[in-house]
Amino acid sequence: MNILVFTKRVPATQEEELRILGDGKEVDLSKLPFKVNDWDNYAVEEAVRIAEKTGGTVTAISIGDAESDEVLRRAIAMGVKDGFLIEVEKVLQDPYARAMLAYNFLKKENIPFDTILTGVQSEDDQFASVGGILAALLKVPYSSMVIGIDNIDKDHLVLRRELEGGLQERAKVILPCVLSIQSGINEPRYVSIMGVRKASKVERKIFKAKDYEENMSSLIEVVKWVYPPKKGGATMLSGELEEICKQILGIIKEKGVYQ
Amino acid sequence: MSYALIVGEVRRGIFEERNLDTIGISSLLGKETCLLIPDNAYTISEKQVDTIIKVKTDEEAFLNPLNLVGIVEQAMNTYGKPDFVLFTHSSSGMESAAYLSGSFGLPLITDVSGYDKDTGAFYKSYYSDKIFGEFRCVGQAPYVLTVRSGSFKEFVAEKAAFPKIEFIENVAVNTSRTFIEYVEEEKTEIDITKAEFLLSVGRGIGNKDEIPNYEELAGLLRAVLSGSRPVIDKMWLPKPRQVGTSGKTVKPKVYLAMGISGAFQHIAGMKDSDCIIAVNKDAGAPIFQYAHYGIVADMHKVRDKLKEMVKG
């Protein structure tokens, strides 16, 4: 089975204060560390596992700037055979434009696939859409939120989708198809710095996005960036640790759940 | 007619409460509201919409994006192009909205949680709610939106009359993706939805070896230990202990959240708790917007001090 897996380099924003620049024109990402999108890490792992089981190869594709090579090296260190970077000059906010770019690329370069995997969403923009749009453009079936692949056959997969409230749906999907992979589907293997360094010896191919721009106009655009609306907000407890903990215990006693 | 087509989210005979948010944004947009659902006996407060189109198909086929695209196309051919096609931002809405956008080249904004009537901008979360983007559609309508649960239900307005009922009779069923069955979560002895006091841990816990320390604290406080998605994904706590939309919705008297930043899927599962106390290192964590009491501190230090004081 030939598998393509999309992987994205994203800023690590947990525990970071984000600043908006120029009256809402831009979010300042310059001081943030970057990492692989968490969901893509699970997708890469799943792709490698399927290939290990069924034979065939996995190719990782990243749409991003030159720095995105980092997540391709990481994917190769996890067992992916090839890495393709589709280098864009500026961030494409519109998921439709991104999916169209991927579609044009796959068509023009005539890249064969049985399955395309993406993460459910990326941590930065949380659109959760590129895989579904790409599937529709390719006119192949799609399933999002894949939390388990139970059976792999020559012409189809049996998989489980995560729904709400702990419920799952088992479905049969004919190949070729596009799947978006939910976090928790597997335990991604550990990647050492040595492993990534070794992976840099494997050649990654670089393609320029401007060669694949047919029908790629954005259908939505950002007007500006804003900080989240302030809700009521919490009463902040401060002071010495002991004082804070005394207050916590006071609150839970008052609520009658602890004596 | 200037209208919004709402794709109703239904699951196992239930008309999901999240649909109130798509109905709400439709009124806020000032559109006639046309609800598309399978032809089944759902409990709907009928005066909330102008038209209901009942589709002669079973629920699972209706929710399948490959079929839904054809159903929406039939509705558009019969009733004209809507200005908006609205979905809930859920496991079903997210996949069908994207597939619809790709099928017809329609502008798509997902996880919409606000709308500014004056500027026509839609608000969408970035970076786990730390920043929001104001978006507008520049392509041809209909615009496809998925709507965040809880964001627009306050705008649902009572209509003067009962809705018109229409039917879509013949639906082409695609066979390249087919529903097999629902898989239920296994039952466990501890039901976190019954607990009066939950101690919930998130990504901030950092390490599996810390779990027993929080189990001990939960034991001392007579709380039940639960967790957010990252802890469940890593299998540090079993799935039935997950709080959030894909896990359990809980309403304990006290919800003590430690190291949980507060992704909206988590918030949706705990926001109705009587009292929420949040401990997080990151003063900018979204959970502080929803908590009653907040503490900016290292969760492990708070844990150790609490243990010491309770044992004391």
Side-chain angles (χ1 to χ4, degrees):
Chain A
M1 176 125 69
N2 291 318
I3 305 166
L4 309 179
V5 58
F6 281 84
T7 180
K8 185 178 180 185
R9 183 175 175 266
V10 297
T13 55
Q14 298 270 341
E15 290 174 31
E16 300 284 347
E17 192 182 335
L18 297 183
R19 283 192 332 127
I20 295 170
L21 303 176
D23 200 22
K25 288 271 183 302
E26 199 188 334
V27 181
D28 182 10
L29 303 175
S30 62
K31 291 179 189 70
L32 298 176
F34 278 71
K35 60 189 270 286
V36 65
N37 177 40
D38 204 27
W39 277 274
D40 298 344
N41 196 29
Y42 287 96
V44 169
E45 175 66 31
E46 198 62 23
V48 171
R49 286 188 188 192
I50 296 171
E52 283 169 352
K53 220 179 285 171
T54 66
T57 64
V58 183
T59 302
I61 304 175
S62 188
I63 296 176
D65 60 11
E67 299 282 320
S68 296
D69 182 52
E70 181 184 310
V71 293
L72 294 177
R73 288 199 302 271
R74 195 178 188 285
I76 290 166
M78 287 174 79
V80 164
K81 185 165 165 284
D82 290 307
F84 295 164
L85 171 65
I86 307 175
E87 198 179 340
V88 292
E89 279 158 21
K90 61 177 182 37
V91 178
L92 294 168
Q93 299 294 352
D94 183 3
Y96 187 88
R98 258 180 285 157
M100 186 56 91
L101 173 60
Y103 171 79
N104 289 340
F105 171 74
L106 298 180
K107 287 289 160 193
K108 196 164 169 187
E109 299 301 329
N110 209 10
I111 294 171
F113 65 90
D114 299 297
T115 307
I116 297 176
L117 304 185
T118 70
V120 157
Q121 62 180 353
S122 57
E123 291 169 59
D124 50 359
D125 65 47
Q126 305 162 226
F127 262 103
S129 304
V130 173
I133 298 170
L134 178 61
L137 293 171
L138 290 164
K139 298 191 167 56
V140 300
Y142 172 56
S143 171
S144 72
M145 304 269 186
V146 175
I147 192 73
I149 296 179
D150 295 341
N151 189 31
I152 303 168
D153 222 311
K154 251 216 283 293
D155 67 339
H156 73 268
L157 302 170
V158 175
L159 52 80
R160 276 173 291 119
R161 299 188 61 231
E162 184 184 83
L163 309 177
E164 284 74 17
L167 189 66
Q168 296 181 354
E169 167 190 358
R170 188 173 277 126
K172 176 180 165 184
V173 179
I174 305 289
L175 300 173
C177 65
V178 179
L179 308 177
S180 85
I181 300 297
Q182 180 60 296
S183 60
I185 185 175
N186 54 39
E187 197 175 338
R189 66 199 64 190
Y190 174 73
V191 179
S192 67
I193 295 167
M194 273 301 286
V196 176
R197 204 172 295 158
K198 233 171 96 189
S200 20
K201 296 200 182 95
V202 177
E203 196 200 345
R204 285 89 60 204
K205 287 192 191 146
I206 301 173
F207 302 85
K208 298 286 180 194
K210 63 174 166 38
D211 295 331
Y212 312 97
E213 284 182 339
E214 203 183 328
N215 302 320
M216 216 187 84
S217 56
S218 286
L219 306 180
I220 61 169
E221 61 181 28
V222 183
V223 183
K224 68 177 193 179
W225 302 104
V226 293
Y227 294 108
K230 286 266 173 273
K231 303 233 172 14
T235 303
M236 301 306 286
L237 309 181
S238 56
E240 292 294 314
L241 190 57
E242 178 140 9
E243 178 54 31
I244 290 171
C245 290
K246 211 185 255 176
Q247 292 185 59
I248 295 176
L249 291 174
I251 294 162
I252 62 182
K253 276 178 189 161
E254 187 200 309
K255 294 286 164 192
V257 294
Y258 175 76
Q259 302 318 315
Chain B
M1 181 173 81
S2 169
Y3 78 106
L5 183 67
I6 293 175
V7 177
E9 190 192 351
V10 289
R11 190 66 80 181
R12 298 205 287 184
I14 309 263
F15 184 72
E16 298 284 354
E17 203 193 326
R18 287 186 283 278
N19 291 303
L20 292 181
D21 293 295
T22 44
I23 296 171
I25 194 175
S26 172
S27 326
L28 186 62
L29 291 162
K31 302 294 169 192
E32 269 193 47
T33 303
C34 184
L35 175 67
L36 193 63
I37 50 169
D39 184 18
N40 204 338
Y42 298 110
T43 310
I44 305 175
S45 174
E46 291 199 322
K47 276 190 170 176
Q48 289 170 346
V49 298
D50 299 292
T51 309
I52 299 178
I53 304 174
K54 296 188 171 184
V55 185
K56 300 267 187 193
T57 180
D58 64 71
E59 218 173 67
E60 288 76 28
F62 177 84
L63 292 169
N64 182 334
L66 281 68
N67 298 328
L68 198 50
V69 164
I71 294 169
V72 170
E73 189 177 21
Q74 277 198 54
M76 292 199 285
N77 290 341
T78 312
Y79 308 102
K81 273 194 183 171
D83 298 316
F84 291 91
V85 184
L86 305 172
F87 292 86
T88 57
H89 193 65
S90 64
S91 63
S92 150
M94 283 157 85
E95 69 170 0
S96 288
Y99 208 72
L100 180 71
S101 162
S103 297
F104 300 120
L106 304 177
L108 168 68
I109 310 174
T110 60
D111 193 16
V112 172
S113 58
Y115 171 66
D116 185 330
K117 257 188 149 166
D118 299 328
T119 62
F122 295 98
Y123 289 78
K124 183 205 180 313
S125 157
Y126 264 62
Y127 311 110
S128 313
D129 285 14
K130 286 193 168 178
I131 298 281
F132 281 72
E134 283 185 28
F135 278 86
R136 71 165 176 228
C137 300
V138 289
Q140 288 281 318
Y143 304 142
V144 183
L145 308 180
T146 71
V147 173
R148 182 180 283 197
S149 163
S151 302
F152 298 100
K153 59 181 177 192
E154 60 187 293
F155 299 105
V156 173
E158 175 116 343
K159 307 279 177 187
F162 283 101
K164 235 180 352 183
I165 308 291
E166 307 269 0
F167 291 93
I168 288 180
E169 302 280 346
N170 300 307
V171 174
V173 175
N174 190 301
T175 53
S176 58
R177 171 175 154 185
T178 45
F179 175 85
I180 299 172
E181 62 184 342
Y182 285 120
V183 183
E184 304 264 5
E185 190 173 274
E186 52 182 296
K187 294 270 177 282
T188 47
E189 277 172 40
I190 291 168
D191 180 355
I192 60 169
T193 65
K194 301 268 192 320
E196 289 202 329
F197 182 9
L198 283 173
L199 168 61
S200 216
V201 291
R203 192 191 297 269
I205 195 170
N207 190 321
K208 183 177 187 171
D209 300 337
E210 296 286 357
I211 294 281
N213 294 326
Y214 285 88
E215 266 166 357
E216 194 194 343
L217 176 62
L220 289 169
L221 294 173
R222 269 159 256 136
V224 172
L225 189 65
S226 56
S228 65
R229 172 144 215 135
V231 173
I232 309 300
D233 280 350
K234 294 196 171 76
M235 290 171 250
W236 296 351
L237 282 176
K239 174 83 182 165
R241 301 274 185 132
Q242 184 184 353
V243 174
T245 46
S246 59
K248 300 278 194 322
T249 298
V250 298
K251 290 177 192 173
K253 282 187 181 161
V254 175
Y255 190 80
L256 175 54
M258 299 182 77
I260 294 176
S261 62
F264 94 87
Q265 293 91 341
H266 185 79
I267 299 294
M270 49 62 93
K271 66 178 184 333
D272 295 329
S273 305
D274 277 359
C275 177
I276 299 166
I277 308 170
V279 181
N280 204 295
K281 263 201 294 203
D282 180 3
I287 195 156
F288 290 127
Q289 296 293 322
Y290 300 89
H292 302 92
Y293 298 97
I295 297 113
V296 179
D298 180 329
M299 65 187 283
H300 298 326
K301 286 188 180 151
V302 173
R303 173 203 63 206
D304 291 341
K305 183 54 87 177
L306 281 173
K307 272 209 260 190
E308 183 193 309
M309 290 171 76
V310 172
K311 280 180 181 168

